[in-house]
Amino acid sequence: MDLLNTLVDKGLRRELPTREEALAVLATSDDDLLDVVAAAGKVRRQWFGRRVKLNYLVNLKSGLCPEDCSYCSQRLGSKAGILKYTWLKPDEASKAAAAGVAGGAKRVCLVASGRGPTDRDVDRVSKTIEAIKERHEGVEVCACLGLLSDGQADRLREAGADAYNHNLNTSEETYGAITTTHTYADRVETVQQAQAAGLSACSGLIAGMGESDKDLVDVVFALRALDPDSVPVNFLIPFEGTPLAKEWNLTPQRCLRILAMVRFVCPDVEVRLAGGREVHLRSMQPLALHLVNSIFLGDYLTSEGQAGQADLDMIADAGFEVEGAGTTTLPRHRADALTGGGCGSQASAPEQAGRCGSHEASGGGGCGSHGGGGCGPCGGHAAVAGGEESAPVTETVGAPAAPAGGPARTDLVAVRRRGAGTDLAPNA
């Protein structure tokens, strides 16, 4: 297919596809799906080899959020039966993070619900970062605390944070239909503040909220222009008790096409498979590893994922390997300049850029080895890895209509009842 050959060539050169080409990827047929995955897989392997980075989310403060993000189980007025608790103490958060690191995670993502942190909150998180870094030398820490005020990004950086996550989520044109308590521009500004402070920017999207193909292309092109080092792709988990509870319109094939489009538009950034992968990709998750180079391990912020060991087995069975602590995630041309080369926006020959990013990181993980996914959909998901003693709790939280591709898998939507904020061991 000429389209795919063109996109592979552009991806290997870090050249931006046209919007028409990106839309054409989303419009491909199921008959062409494996060809699409194979083509995007060539771009993924060029810049990241067969490595998969593991990330671990710690939900520092769950629920009780004053924002009205329609997709979020922690939103104002949410009736979802999620865990609700206030700030974890630094030692509690550090203990939770230890489970993820033991499971192979290179990055710990610290997430807190709310509009944004107060200065006192930043002090709390700073102490937590210091506790984690003291216990795990070299581990990356990404914070996801909402909208930042002046100077807060600098303080987080000084405390040892490596990255900051704040997702754009959807296109600017449709953002007002999803959230009314803050604006798309607010989110862009927070990402830019993190970048200005020298933090590795992490910003992504949520698919499955009823958006059009144009909306998806618009947000991914906006992300490329914004220049994050990592782009988490979430698939909406329609929690009952939220306004989007009935939005079950994704199929595994649709999810794979979305991931391929993101990879073609952002060829050399860390593309992370985030919340909702178990629910919407299901048995086709291994195919997604040919498109993404990063995943969360285990459970999510307010919902449960598949067993952590199943994640590790999936990676091995698909012929990939878990990325080691001594390997820089990003290709050298991005790793050498924390905010440079945005989302593949500066074309250069691959042989000049350095391939696969398999270079030793200097110091504690370095600027070029960041993913960060936090804020799932705005705190809706979070990964936890750790003990094997606790059995999954399968409390179904949705009963929506079936999507076009088949019946809705509400049996895969379960509220998290273990790990951070509970007395039960996390999922590993």
Side-chain angles (χ1 to χ4, degrees):
M1 185 186 297
D2 289 342
L3 168 67
L4 297 179
N5 290 334
T6 297
L7 288 170
V8 170
D9 288 344
K10 288 186 174 183
L12 299 184
R13 298 194 304 267
R14 295 188 289 139
E15 181 181 336
L16 180 66
T18 66
R19 289 178 181 269
E20 290 73 22
E21 288 166 342
L23 286 166
V25 172
L26 297 178
T28 53
S29 70
D30 287 350
D31 289 342
D32 293 324
L33 182 62
L34 290 180
D35 293 332
V36 173
V37 171
K42 292 179 182 178
V43 178
R44 181 250 200 264
R45 289 191 301 276
Q46 165 74 18
W47 301 111
F48 300 97
R50 302 189 71 84
R51 296 175 288 109
V52 178
K53 180 177 180 178
L54 300 181
N55 306 268
Y56 173 81
L57 273 149
V58 177
N59 198 0
L60 296 178
K61 181 167 72 79
S62 182
L64 309 175
C65 183
E67 301 298 286
D68 69 353
C69 307
S70 300
Y71 46 79
C72 186
S73 59
Q74 303 183 86
R75 73 188 298 272
L76 178 69
S78 171
K79 309 239 183 279
I82 62 169
L83 290 169
K84 296 181 177 68
Y85 53 86
T86 190
W87 291 94
L88 297 182
K89 294 180 174 60
D91 61 329
E92 294 172 326
S94 179
K95 182 178 179 182
V101 175
K106 289 182 62 176
R107 166 168 288 191
V108 173
C109 305
L110 302 176
V111 186
S113 62
R115 178 178 178 84
T118 65
D119 287 340
R120 185 181 178 189
D121 293 337
V122 172
D123 288 339
R124 286 191 182 100
V125 176
S126 295
K127 291 175 182 176
T128 298
I129 294 170
E130 291 165 1
I132 292 172
K133 293 274 188 173
E134 182 177 351
R135 187 169 184 172
H136 304 288
E137 184 179 0
V139 72
E140 300 170 13
V141 175
C142 177
C144 178
L145 312 174
L147 301 174
L148 294 175
S149 301
D150 289 345
Q152 290 183 331
D154 295 290
R155 291 174 58 196
L156 290 168
R157 179 66 171 167
E158 290 166 4
D162 300 284
Y164 196 82
N165 166 259
H166 202 58
N167 296 329
L168 297 188
N169 291 328
T170 192
S171 69
E172 182 174 14
E173 182 178 353
T174 60
Y175 195 84
I178 297 297
T179 304
T180 67
T181 47
H182 61 266
T183 67
Y184 180 92
D186 291 333
R187 286 187 168 266
V188 171
E189 182 182 358
T190 285
V191 176
Q192 291 172 336
Q193 285 187 33
Q195 291 170 319
L199 292 167
S200 178
C202 170
S203 189
L205 66 141
I206 308 169
M209 298 191 291
E211 69 282 335
S212 67
D213 284 3
K214 178 182 179 298
D215 290 323
L216 286 170
V217 170
D218 283 350
V219 68
V220 176
F221 271 67
L223 286 165
R224 172 160 172 153
L226 189 56
D227 192 24
D229 291 314
S230 60
V231 175
V233 180
N234 298 279
F235 299 109
L236 176 73
I237 298 180
F239 277 91
E240 186 172 333
T242 66
L244 299 184
K246 305 303 180 184
E247 290 289 342
W248 283 77
N249 47 36
L250 292 171
T251 65
Q253 295 83 2
R254 170 77 167 167
C255 293
L256 289 170
R257 281 190 283 267
I258 291 168
L259 292 170
M261 186 269 287
V262 174
R263 175 56 71 193
F264 285 129
V265 176
C266 300
D268 62 337
V269 304
E270 180 181 345
V271 177
R272 182 175 307 103
L273 183 55
R277 65 178 166 96
E278 298 91 344
V279 177
H280 296 294
L281 278 163
R282 302 189 288 277
S283 62
M284 294 179 74
Q285 290 181 71
L287 276 180
L289 296 178
H290 292 272
L291 309 171
V292 306
N293 62 292
S294 181
I295 66 169
F296 287 117
L297 182 68
D299 289 341
Y300 300 93
L301 288 178
T302 61
S303 66
E304 293 186 355
Q306 66 187 23
Q309 187 58 52
D311 290 337
L312 299 176
D313 291 343
M314 175 181 71
I315 291 169
D317 291 347
F320 293 85
E321 60 184 14
V322 172
E323 184 173 287
T327 301
T328 302
T329 299
L330 295 176
R332 180 171 291 170
H333 62 276
R334 292 191 64 88
D336 286 348
L338 181 59
T339 57
C343 218
S345 60
Q346 310 211 5
S348 68
E351 59 269 23
Q352 295 173 330
R355 297 191 175 203
C356 298
S358 56
H359 313 295
E360 294 304 304
S362 59
C367 304
S369 47
H370 304 67
C375 244
C378 199
H381 311 73
V384 218
E388 301 176 353
E389 306 94 287
S390 63
V393 178
T394 55
E395 179 181 344
T396 300
V397 297
R409 289 297 305 273
T410 58
D411 59 305
L412 295 179
V413 181
V415 172
R416 180 175 69 83
R417 299 295 186 208
R418 58 196 176 192
T422 77
D423 295 327
L424 298 178
N427 169 25

